[in-house]
Amino acid sequence: MLETVKTLCSLAGPSGWEDEVRDSILERVLPLADAVETDPMGNLLVFCRGRVTLPKPVMVCAHMDEVGIIVTGVTDEGFLKFDFIGGVDRRVTMGRRVLIGQNRIPAIIGVKAYHLVSDDEEKKVPKTEELYLDIGAESEAEALERVHLGDCGIFDSTPIEMGEGLLKARAIDDRCGCAAMLKLMEGELPCDTWFVFTVQEEVGARGGRTAAYRIDPALCLVLEGTTAADIPGVAEEKRICRVGGGVVIPFMDGGTLYDRGLYELASKTAEKNGIAWQTKTMIAGGTDASGIQRSRGGVRTLALSVAMRNIHSPACVASVEDLENLPRLAALVLEELVNENS
C-alpha cells in the first residue's frame, strides 16, 4: 500500500490533466478488472465481479486529480502570470519550485522583494496577481518558446518517509484513495463493484457526479484525504481530526450530510475489528460525495478518509498506519453491507 501511494504521488495530475495518473492506474487494473471504461470527462470506470450480484451495484470512488497552477499570461520581461487550480493556500507557495507542462519546465513562484514591501503589505498575504513564475527567460518571446498559455503545473515534491511512521508527499489527497481502491481490487470482493477513479474533484467535484449518473449505484463509498489541524497553536475543538488518530468517518462536511445508517455501520465495523477511527469536529471542506449523493434519485453515500496535515500543499503529511487501514476498513464495510442485504 505505502509503495503504491508513493508511486502515485510521484505522478502529475492536476485537475483536467489527469492522463499520467490514469494511464498508470489503467496498467495496474487491467489484469484485475472484468470491464474497463473511460467516459467523456476522463473518469476511469473499472468493474469487478464479486461473490454476490445485488439489484444495483456498489460504487467506490477516489479522485485522481490534485491542486496545481495554470499559466495565464507572460510579461515583457519573460515572467509568467498564473492562477491556481483548486484551493491552494497562497502562504505555502512563495519560493516554491513548480514543474510546468509535459516537459516539466522548472519554475520558481516569486513575489516582490521583502525590502520593497510596505508596512501594510507585510501584514497581508500577497494576492495571486502579485505572484509570478520565474523560468529563467529574459523576454516574452523566450518564455513562449518553453511554455504556452494554459499549460498547467504541479509542485515539485518527492515522497519521503519521515519520523515514526509518517509520509510526506504532494497529492496524497487523493492518491491515497486511488491506492486503497487498487488494494481492494486485489482481494476477493463481496459484491459486484464499480471502482471509479474520478477527475476534476478539486475544481468542483465534477467527475464523481457524472460517473454516479452513469452507474446509478445503490450506494457509494468515497475514499479520500481530509484536513488535520493537529498542530501547535490550534485549539483542541478546531483540530478537526488527527494524523495517526485512525480512519476518519465524517458525519457531515461542507457539501454532504452523509447517510446516517452507513456512518453507524462504518463506525461499529471499525470498533468490532479493532481499527482506530475518528470523526471530523468541524463542518468544512467537501468531496465527490456532494455530487454523487444528489445524482439521479439520490445515492446513499459514505466517506472514509485519511487525515493529513498541510493538505493541498507540496508537503502533505499522513500516517502510514492510517493509509493502510483505509482499504482494510473499506473492505470490511463492503462485507457488512452485503451481509445486511443478503
Side-chain angles (χ1 to χ4, degrees):
M1 177 68 181
L2 176 60
E3 291 307 312
T4 301
V5 173
K6 290 165 68 174
T7 297
L8 294 178
C9 286
S10 299
L11 304 174
S15 304
W17 286 267
E18 298 91 352
D19 309 64
E20 185 175 310
V21 182
R22 183 172 53 248
D23 290 346
S24 176
I25 292 173
L26 177 60
E27 184 176 351
R28 290 169 178 259
V29 302
L30 282 175
L32 307 171
D34 291 290
V36 177
E37 303 175 14
T38 55
D39 65 16
M41 288 285 293
N43 294 312
L44 178 63
L45 301 89
V46 183
F47 179 71
C48 295
R49 296 196 182 281
R51 297 194 312 271
V52 176
T53 298
L54 299 175
K56 292 177 71 174
V58 168
M59 175 175 161
V60 183
C61 80
H63 65 89
M64 297 182 287
D65 61 313
E66 62 187 291
V67 298
I69 63 166
I70 188 166
V71 177
T72 59
V74 183
T75 70
D76 293 340
E77 302 89 351
F79 296 107
L80 309 182
K81 303 305 292 182
F82 69 96
D83 208 335
F84 292 107
I85 300 172
V88 179
D89 185 347
R90 299 190 303 279
R91 296 176 302 166
V92 306
T93 65
M94 291 171 280
R96 292 288 188 176
R97 174 176 155 123
V98 297
L99 303 173
I100 303 173
Q102 292 184 341
N103 294 325
R104 302 288 197 275
I105 302 298
I108 302 298
I109 298 179
V111 69
K112 183 192 290 187
Y114 181 70
H115 67 279
L116 299 177
V117 173
S118 68
D119 291 343
D120 185 57
E121 289 174 324
E122 187 178 17
K123 300 173 184 177
K124 300 176 181 178
V125 178
K127 298 178 180 179
T128 304
E129 54 264 31
E130 296 173 315
L131 304 175
Y132 62 86
L133 293 172
D134 187 350
I135 61 171
E138 297 183 355
S139 67
E140 178 183 9
E142 183 180 346
L144 289 173
E145 290 176 359
R146 306 181 195 176
V147 301
H148 303 89
L149 298 185
D151 279 352
C152 67
I154 57 168
F155 292 115
D156 186 8
S157 176
T158 302
I160 296 174
E161 294 178 59
M162 56 183 281
E164 294 294 326
L166 298 179
L167 174 69
K168 184 281 297 184
R170 46 158 264 278
I172 306 179
D173 171 28
D174 184 29
R175 307 290 161 73
C176 68
C178 294
M181 292 205 301
L182 292 171
K183 184 72 173 178
L184 287 171
M185 293 169 63
E186 292 172 355
E188 182 185 24
L189 294 169
C191 60
D192 293 354
T193 306
W194 278 100
F195 292 94
V196 183
F197 300 85
T198 65
V199 297
Q200 298 189 35
E201 190 271 352
E202 297 292 5
V203 291
R206 300 171 184 174
R209 185 188 309 254
T210 60
Y213 187 90
R214 181 172 184 172
I215 292 172
D216 190 20
L219 57 90
C220 182
L221 183 57
V222 180
L223 306 183
E224 259 284 10
T226 195
T227 304
D230 56 334
I231 56 175
V234 178
E236 183 65 31
E237 69 273 12
K238 293 185 178 181
R239 294 194 168 195
I240 308 176
C241 54
R242 182 171 61 85
V243 171
V247 178
V248 180
I249 310 173
F251 48 81
M252 183 178 178
D253 60 34
T256 309
L257 185 59
Y258 290 95
D259 184 278
R260 286 183 296 168
L262 295 180
Y263 174 84
E264 292 172 1
L265 182 146
S267 57
K268 290 178 181 177
T269 299
E271 291 170 1
K272 183 171 67 174
N273 291 276
I275 299 175
W277 75 279
Q278 58 187 318
T279 193
K280 294 174 68 171
T281 58
M282 288 186 70
I283 308 303
T287 71
D288 270 328
S290 61
I292 293 168
Q293 185 186 55
R294 304 169 198 178
S295 176
R296 288 183 179 258
V299 178
R300 297 183 67 199
T301 307
L302 171 72
L304 301 177
S305 304
V306 172
M308 53 191 68
R309 302 182 191 121
N310 316 320
I311 201 167
H312 291 186
S313 83
C316 305
V317 176
S319 159
V320 174
E321 184 175 7
D322 289 348
L323 292 170
E324 292 174 342
N325 277 335
L326 180 63
R328 182 183 170 205
L329 180 55
L332 291 167
V333 168
L334 290 176
E335 190 71 48
E336 289 292 334
L337 286 168
V338 171
N339 292 338
E340 280 192 353
N341 289 276
S342 59

